[in-house]
Amino acid sequence: SQRKLPAISKSDALKTANDFIRKVSPEILGEIQYQEQDMPLNVYDREYRFTYIRVKNGVPFPANSLTVGVNNVTGEVQSYYMGWYDDLTFPDTAGVMTMEKAQEVFKEKLGIQLVYRANYYEKDSKIYLIYTNVYGNKSIDAKTGEVVQYNYYCPYGETKMKAEMAKA
């Protein structure tokens, strides 16, 4: 089959994605934020993919997200994925330390180190020198200043995660 250039602009496809979310998940509209992806368009892709993350009290919660795929030739929604934790209680942001104080505490309690990292998304897989935290799975509690360990995975049964796949 012959490849076609996108007939639909990215901005029009984004409008379609936003309209689709408004239709199928109106209850989360006030809690999501579109995340612009700075990736070059692959001529073999048949869809634009738009990712949104949950934002609560003005603070991002990337563990909850949704992605909408819009066909770049027909303009129709092709896919929809929503990973969302229900029944979560978010602490309010009152009493969090300032960014300056957080930087001091982070440096004092966790430290930073210089490491090499590769960006495999770039054509030439360029190697970068970056500063990162010494302990990859530890952070500073924004209210108490104590070191906390976090995990990207939610213990089974502690909360329900809603994952929906829809093909249009």
Side-chain angles (χ1 to χ4, degrees), residues 7-9 12-17 20 46-50 68-80 166-168:
I8 306 298
S9 72
D12 284 345
L14 178 59
K15 182 182 180 316
T16 298
F20 187 80
R46 287 292 109 222
E47 70 176 14
Y48 296 109
R49 283 182 260 337
F50 302 104
V68 180
V70 177
N71 187 292
N72 63 19
V73 175
T74 67
E76 296 175 343
V77 173
Q78 287 186 163
S79 61
Y80 178 76
K167 295 284 182 184

Side-chain angles (χ1 to χ4, degrees), residues 75-107:
E76 296 175 343
V77 173
Q78 287 186 163
S79 61
Y80 178 76
Y81 171 80
M82 181 176 173
W84 204 263
Y85 296 99
D86 286 325
D87 304 324
L88 294 180
T89 302
F90 291 87
D92 73 35
T93 55
V96 298
M97 66 181 82
T98 65
M99 184 64 75
E100 293 76 17
K101 177 67 176 170
Q103 289 170 343
E104 282 176 33
V105 173
F106 192 93
K107 187 174 179 182

Side-chain angles (χ1 to χ4, degrees), residues 5-161:
L5 290 174
I8 306 298
S9 72
K10 186 175 179 180
S11 61
D12 284 345
L14 178 59
K15 182 182 180 316
T16 298
N18 290 336
D19 290 343
F20 187 80
I21 294 167
R22 199 173 287 107
K23 179 180 177 184
V24 300
S25 301
E27 71 281 2
I28 65 165
L29 283 176
E31 291 189 33
I32 58 172
Q33 181 178 349
Y34 169 60
Q35 299 294 294
E36 179 69 43
Q37 302 293 317
D38 193 18
M39 299 288 288
L41 179 65
N42 182 335
V43 294
Y44 295 104
D45 281 346
R46 287 292 109 222
E47 70 176 14
Y48 296 109
R49 283 182 260 337
F50 302 104
T51 300
Y52 304 74
I53 63 166
R54 188 176 195 173
V55 176
K56 195 71 172 177
N57 302 320
V59 179
F61 184 59
N64 283 185
S65 66
L66 62 105
T67 303
V68 180
V70 177
N71 187 292
N72 63 19
V73 175
T74 67
E76 296 175 343
V77 173
Q78 287 186 163
S79 61
Y80 178 76
Y81 171 80
M82 181 176 173
W84 204 263
Y85 296 99
D86 286 325
D87 304 324
L88 294 180
T89 302
F90 291 87
D92 73 35
T93 55
V96 298
M97 66 181 82
T98 65
M99 184 64 75
E100 293 76 17
K101 177 67 176 170
Q103 289 170 343
E104 282 176 33
V105 173
F106 192 93
K107 187 174 179 182
E108 172 193 323
K109 293 187 177 184
L110 292 179
I112 57 174
Q113 66 179 343
L114 184 64
V115 298
Y116 285 106
R117 289 281 164 90
N119 186 348
Y120 297 109
Y121 294 108
E122 291 184 2
K123 182 179 176 183
D124 299 326
S125 296
K126 186 175 178 182
I127 304 294
Y128 293 91
L129 270 171
I130 65 165
Y131 284 102
T132 188
N133 60 326
V134 176
Y135 307 101
N137 63 342
K138 293 185 180 178
S139 292
I140 300 295
D141 184 295
K143 291 189 178 188
T144 67
E146 296 302 314
V147 174
V148 293
Q149 186 164 334
Y150 62 90
N151 192 331
Y152 287 111
Y153 301 100
C154 181
Y156 180 77
E158 186 174 300
T159 188
K160 296 176 186 174
M161 182 169 187

